[in-house]
Amino acid sequence: MHPFRKAVENRDHAAIEALLAENVVFTSPVAFRPYPGKAITAAILRGVIRVFTDFRYVREIGSEDGRDHALVFTAKVGDMEINGCDFLHFDEEGRIDDFMVMVRPLSAAQALSAAMGAQFDRIKAEALAETEAADTASEGER
């Protein structure tokens, strides 16, 4: 089982975040622009964990070199069933530097968009707090 899959299925936020590169880019299935950076990506993933119920991965597909991975999932958003896939690319250190999600059907994608929209003020606040904490920590190292 892939370490990211294990972390998500265990709802282990620290393990998920540890697998993200600082320069990760998250491409949402419901937002026009990608989200660059570890803090916002981690906060979005925490929001998704709050929104999805009955989440489970049903298939793993990996490249021969292990740097590309696709994890097919099913979940619910409210009472809507959703199918999707997490497409992950790993950098030289084995951290996720590109994270793209696709979902179907359209009605479930719309439900996901609404549910995540309701979470987004909290997501932005969490990302800002993480960024400020990282900045404070790096200032203390100087």
mmCIF file with all atom_site columns, all heavy atoms in Angstrom, residues 17-29:
data_model
loop_
_atom_site.group_PDB
_atom_site.id
_atom_site.type_symbol
_atom_site.label_atom_id
_atom_site.label_alt_id
_atom_site.label_comp_id
_atom_site.label_asym_id
_atom_site.label_entity_id
_atom_site.label_seq_id
_atom_site.pdbx_PDB_ins_code
_atom_site.Cartn_x
_atom_site.Cartn_y
_atom_site.Cartn_z
_atom_site.occupancy
_atom_site.B_iso_or_equiv
_atom_site.pdbx_formal_charge
_atom_site.auth_seq_id
_atom_site.auth_comp_id
_atom_site.auth_asym_id
_atom_site.auth_atom_id
_atom_site.pdbx_PDB_model_num
ATOM 1  N N   . GLU A 1 17 ? 0.873   15.544 5.553   1.00 0.00 ? 17 GLU A N   1
ATOM 2  C CA  . GLU A 1 17 ? 1.663   16.766 5.374   1.00 0.00 ? 17 GLU A CA  1
ATOM 3  C C   . GLU A 1 17 ? 3.145   16.463 5.189   1.00 0.00 ? 17 GLU A C   1
ATOM 4  O O   . GLU A 1 17 ? 3.820   17.119 4.397   1.00 0.00 ? 17 GLU A O   1
ATOM 5  C CB  . GLU A 1 17 ? 1.457   17.699 6.567   1.00 0.00 ? 17 GLU A CB  1
ATOM 6  C CG  . GLU A 1 17 ? 2.051   19.054 6.342   1.00 0.00 ? 17 GLU A CG  1
ATOM 7  C CD  . GLU A 1 17 ? 1.646   20.082 7.370   1.00 0.00 ? 17 GLU A CD  1
ATOM 8  O OE1 . GLU A 1 17 ? 0.610   19.898 8.035   1.00 0.00 ? 17 GLU A OE1 1
ATOM 9  O OE2 . GLU A 1 17 ? 2.379   21.086 7.490   1.00 0.00 ? 17 GLU A OE2 1
ATOM 10 N N   . ALA A 1 18 ? 3.652   15.452 5.884   1.00 0.00 ? 18 ALA A N   1
ATOM 11 C CA  . ALA A 1 18 ? 5.064   15.084 5.758   1.00 0.00 ? 18 ALA A CA  1
ATOM 12 C C   . ALA A 1 18 ? 5.405   14.604 4.345   1.00 0.00 ? 18 ALA A C   1
ATOM 13 O O   . ALA A 1 18 ? 6.561   14.697 3.925   1.00 0.00 ? 18 ALA A O   1
ATOM 14 C CB  . ALA A 1 18 ? 5.420   14.006 6.777   1.00 0.00 ? 18 ALA A CB  1
ATOM 15 N N   . LEU A 1 19 ? 4.416   14.119 3.614   1.00 0.00 ? 19 LEU A N   1
ATOM 16 C CA  . LEU A 1 19 ? 4.645   13.643 2.257   1.00 0.00 ? 19 LEU A CA  1
ATOM 17 C C   . LEU A 1 19 ? 4.574   14.755 1.208   1.00 0.00 ? 19 LEU A C   1
ATOM 18 O O   . LEU A 1 19 ? 4.832   14.513 0.034   1.00 0.00 ? 19 LEU A O   1
ATOM 19 C CB  . LEU A 1 19 ? 3.628   12.545 1.916   1.00 0.00 ? 19 LEU A CB  1
ATOM 20 C CG  . LEU A 1 19 ? 3.854   11.229 2.646   1.00 0.00 ? 19 LEU A CG  1
ATOM 21 C CD1 . LEU A 1 19 ? 2.635   10.324 2.526   1.00 0.00 ? 19 LEU A CD1 1
ATOM 22 C CD2 . LEU A 1 19 ? 5.099   10.539 2.113   1.00 0.00 ? 19 LEU A CD2 1
ATOM 23 N N   . LEU A 1 20 ? 4.225   15.971 1.616   1.00 0.00 ? 20 LEU A N   1
ATOM 24 C CA  . LEU A 1 20 ? 4.112   17.088 0.680   1.00 0.00 ? 20 LEU A CA  1
ATOM 25 C C   . LEU A 1 20 ? 5.422   17.863 0.588   1.00 0.00 ? 20 LEU A C   1
ATOM 26 O O   . LEU A 1 20 ? 6.023   18.211 1.607   1.00 0.00 ? 20 LEU A O   1
ATOM 27 C CB  . LEU A 1 20 ? 3.004   18.054 1.135   1.00 0.00 ? 20 LEU A CB  1
ATOM 28 C CG  . LEU A 1 20 ? 1.594   17.492 1.231   1.00 0.00 ? 20 LEU A CG  1
ATOM 29 C CD1 . LEU A 1 20 ? 0.652   18.546 1.818   1.00 0.00 ? 20 LEU A CD1 1
ATOM 30 C CD2 . LEU A 1 20 ? 1.103   17.004 -0.121  1.00 0.00 ? 20 LEU A CD2 1
ATOM 31 N N   . ALA A 1 21 ? 5.849   18.150 -0.633  1.00 0.00 ? 21 ALA A N   1
ATOM 32 C CA  . ALA A 1 21 ? 7.011   19.017 -0.850  1.00 0.00 ? 21 ALA A CA  1
ATOM 33 C C   . ALA A 1 21 ? 6.606   20.455 -0.538  1.00 0.00 ? 21 ALA A C   1
ATOM 34 O O   . ALA A 1 21 ? 5.437   20.828 -0.651  1.00 0.00 ? 21 ALA A O   1
ATOM 35 C CB  . ALA A 1 21 ? 7.480   18.902 -2.296  1.00 0.00 ? 21 ALA A CB  1
ATOM 36 N N   . GLU A 1 22 ? 7.571   21.276 -0.148  1.00 0.00 ? 22 GLU A N   1
ATOM 37 C CA  . GLU A 1 22 ? 7.286   22.690 0.127   1.00 0.00 ? 22 GLU A CA  1
ATOM 38 C C   . GLU A 1 22 ? 6.692   23.382 -1.092  1.00 0.00 ? 22 GLU A C   1
ATOM 39 O O   . GLU A 1 22 ? 5.839   24.244 -0.964  1.00 0.00 ? 22 GLU A O   1
ATOM 40 C CB  . GLU A 1 22 ? 8.555   23.423 0.581   1.00 0.00 ? 22 GLU A CB  1
ATOM 41 C CG  . GLU A 1 22 ? 9.050   23.030 1.956   1.00 0.00 ? 22 GLU A CG  1
ATOM 42 C CD  . GLU A 1 22 ? 8.067   23.350 3.084   1.00 0.00 ? 22 GLU A CD  1
ATOM 43 O OE1 . GLU A 1 22 ? 7.351   24.370 2.984   1.00 0.00 ? 22 GLU A OE1 1
ATOM 44 O OE2 . GLU A 1 22 ? 8.020   22.573 4.053   1.00 0.00 ? 22 GLU A OE2 1
ATOM 45 N N   . ASN A 1 23 ? 7.142   22.985 -2.285  1.00 0.00 ? 23 ASN A N   1
ATOM 46 C CA  . ASN A 1 23 ? 6.703   23.644 -3.522  1.00 0.00 ? 23 ASN A CA  1
ATOM 47 C C   . ASN A 1 23 ? 5.575   22.890 -4.227  1.00 0.00 ? 23 ASN A C   1
ATOM 48 O O   . ASN A 1 23 ? 5.336   23.094 -5.418  1.00 0.00 ? 23 ASN A O   1
ATOM 49 C CB  . ASN A 1 23 ? 7.883   23.808 -4.476  1.00 0.00 ? 23 ASN A CB  1
ATOM 50 C CG  . ASN A 1 23 ? 8.433   22.467 -4.946  1.00 0.00 ? 23 ASN A CG  1
ATOM 51 O OD1 . ASN A 1 23 ? 8.236   21.436 -4.301  1.00 0.00 ? 23 ASN A OD1 1
ATOM 52 N ND2 . ASN A 1 23 ? 9.148   22.487 -6.053  1.00 0.00 ? 23 ASN A ND2 1
ATOM 53 N N   . VAL A 1 24 ? 4.849   22.043 -3.504  1.00 0.00 ? 24 VAL A N   1
ATOM 54 C CA  . VAL A 1 24 ? 3.759   21.279 -4.106  1.00 0.00 ? 24 VAL A CA  1
ATOM 55 C C   . VAL A 1 24 ? 2.738   22.213 -4.753  1.00 0.00 ? 24 VAL A C   1
ATOM 56 O O   . VAL A 1 24 ? 2.503   23.321 -4.263  1.00 0.00 ? 24 VAL A O   1
ATOM 57 C CB  . VAL A 1 24 ? 3.072   20.355 -3.064  1.00 0.00 ? 24 VAL A CB  1
ATOM 58 C CG1 . VAL A 1 24 ? 2.407   21.148 -1.959  1.00 0.00 ? 24 VAL A CG1 1
ATOM 59 C CG2 . VAL A 1 24 ? 2.069   19.409 -3.718  1.00 0.00 ? 24 VAL A CG2 1
ATOM 60 N N   . VAL A 1 25 ? 2.166   21.763 -5.846  1.00 0.00 ? 25 VAL A N   1
ATOM 61 C CA  . VAL A 1 25 ? 1.089   22.493 -6.509  1.00 0.00 ? 25 VAL A CA  1
ATOM 62 C C   . VAL A 1 25 ? -0.131  21.584 -6.497  1.00 0.00 ? 25 VAL A C   1
ATOM 63 O O   . VAL A 1 25 ? -0.075  20.447 -6.984  1.00 0.00 ? 25 VAL A O   1
ATOM 64 C CB  . VAL A 1 25 ? 1.463   22.884 -7.950  1.00 0.00 ? 25 VAL A CB  1
ATOM 65 C CG1 . VAL A 1 25 ? 0.271   23.532 -8.657  1.00 0.00 ? 25 VAL A CG1 1
ATOM 66 C CG2 . VAL A 1 25 ? 2.669   23.821 -7.951  1.00 0.00 ? 25 VAL A CG2 1
ATOM 67 N N   . PHE A 1 26 ? -1.224  22.103 -5.934  1.00 0.00 ? 26 PHE A N   1
ATOM 68 C CA  . PHE A 1 26 ? -2.476  21.349 -5.856  1.00 0.00 ? 26 PHE A CA  1
ATOM 69 C C   . PHE A 1 26 ? -3.443  21.873 -6.908  1.00 0.00 ? 26 PHE A C   1
ATOM 70 O O   . PHE A 1 26 ? -3.744  23.072 -6.941  1.00 0.00 ? 26 PHE A O   1
ATOM 71 C CB  . PHE A 1 26 ? -3.108  21.494 -4.466  1.00 0.00 ? 26 PHE A CB  1
ATOM 72 C CG  . PHE A 1 26 ? -4.402  20.738 -4.321  1.00 0.00 ? 26 PHE A CG  1
ATOM 73 C CD1 . PHE A 1 26 ? -4.390  19.384 -4.030  1.00 0.00 ? 26 PHE A CD1 1
ATOM 74 C CD2 . PHE A 1 26 ? -5.616  21.368 -4.497  1.00 0.00 ? 26 PHE A CD2 1
ATOM 75 C CE1 . PHE A 1 26 ? -5.574  18.673 -3.902  1.00 0.00 ? 26 PHE A CE1 1
ATOM 76 C CE2 . PHE A 1 26 ? -6.813  20.672 -4.379  1.00 0.00 ? 26 PHE A CE2 1
ATOM 77 C CZ  . PHE A 1 26 ? -6.788  19.320 -4.081  1.00 0.00 ? 26 PHE A CZ  1
ATOM 78 N N   . THR A 1 27 ? -3.919  20.974 -7.765  1.00 0.00 ? 27 THR A N   1
ATOM 79 C CA  . THR A 1 27 ? -4.897  21.333 -8.779  1.00 0.00 ? 27 THR A CA  1
ATOM 80 C C   . THR A 1 27 ? -6.220  20.693 -8.393  1.00 0.00 ? 27 THR A C   1
ATOM 81 O O   . THR A 1 27 ? -6.350  19.467 -8.375  1.00 0.00 ? 27 THR A O   1
ATOM 82 C CB  . THR A 1 27 ? -4.446  20.880 -10.185 1.00 0.00 ? 27 THR A CB  1
ATOM 83 O OG1 . THR A 1 27 ? -3.158  21.438 -10.446 1.00 0.00 ? 27 THR A OG1 1
ATOM 84 C CG2 . THR A 1 27 ? -5.428  21.341 -11.241 1.00 0.00 ? 27 THR A CG2 1
ATOM 85 N N   . SER A 1 28 ? -7.172  21.541 -8.080  1.00 0.00 ? 28 SER A N   1
ATOM 86 C CA  . SER A 1 28 ? -8.488  21.130 -7.620  1.00 0.00 ? 28 SER A CA  1
ATOM 87 C C   . SER A 1 28 ? -9.394  20.766 -8.789  1.00 0.00 ? 28 SER A C   1
ATOM 88 O O   . SER A 1 28 ? -9.277  21.363 -9.860  1.00 0.00 ? 28 SER A O   1
ATOM 89 C CB  . SER A 1 28 ? -9.115  22.291 -6.835  1.00 0.00 ? 28 SER A CB  1
ATOM 90 O OG  . SER A 1 28 ? -10.492 22.099 -6.653  1.00 0.00 ? 28 SER A OG  1
ATOM 91 N N   . PRO A 1 29 ? -10.328 19.847 -8.559  1.00 0.00 ? 29 PRO A N   1
ATOM 92 C CA  . PRO A 1 29 ? -11.287 19.550 -9.629  1.00 0.00 ? 29 PRO A CA  1
ATOM 93 C C   . PRO A 1 29 ? -12.358 20.631 -9.783  1.00 0.00 ? 29 PRO A C   1
ATOM 94 O O   . PRO A 1 29 ? -13.096 20.616 -10.764 1.00 0.00 ? 29 PRO A O   1
ATOM 95 C CB  . PRO A 1 29 ? -11.920 18.234 -9.167  1.00 0.00 ? 29 PRO A CB  1
ATOM 96 C CG  . PRO A 1 29 ? -11.815 18.276 -7.686  1.00 0.00 ? 29 PRO A CG  1
ATOM 97 C CD  . PRO A 1 29 ? -10.523 18.998 -7.394  1.00 0.00 ? 29 PRO A CD  1
#
